[in-house]
Amino acid sequence: MKTSTTTPLPRMQQALMIWLGVFPTLALLDLVLGGVLEPLPSLVRTLVLTGLTVPIVVYLVLPRIQQARAALVRQS
């Protein structure tokens, strides 16, 4: 089993990284799917958008943001 020797990120940094992933992803999906989802009730639109956004952010976007952060930390 691997053990981590790094300290966890402060909550504010975690929140910022998550927001940096969620906001643009959600905005892009809304632009792409907004017309298709428009006839649906607001709650269903929100369910569809968040149902797509969360896996995209968790599996695709956040790992890249974390890699970019790590590269910036290594440079300083």
Side-chain angles (χ1 to χ4, degrees):
M1 180 180 357
K2 270 185 165 180
T3 58
S4 177
T5 58
T6 60
T7 58
L9 291 175
R11 292 248 185 231
M12 182 57 84
Q13 286 183 16
Q14 290 176 1
L16 179 60
M17 287 173 44
I18 292 168
W19 183 84
L20 285 172
V22 170
F23 178 75
T25 304
L26 192 53
L28 181 63
L29 285 173
D30 188 42
L31 284 173
V32 171
L33 299 175
V36 175
L37 299 176
E38 188 175 2
L40 299 174
S42 177
L43 192 58
V44 176
R45 283 194 312 263
T46 303
L47 177 68
V48 170
L49 287 174
T50 57
L52 292 170
T53 300
V54 169
I56 290 170
V57 169
V58 168
Y59 293 109
L60 300 175
V61 178
L62 274 180
R64 286 172 178 75
I65 291 173
Q66 290 168 338
Q67 288 172 347
R69 182 194 173 281
L72 286 171
V73 168
R74 279 193 302 270
Q75 287 179 357
S76 56

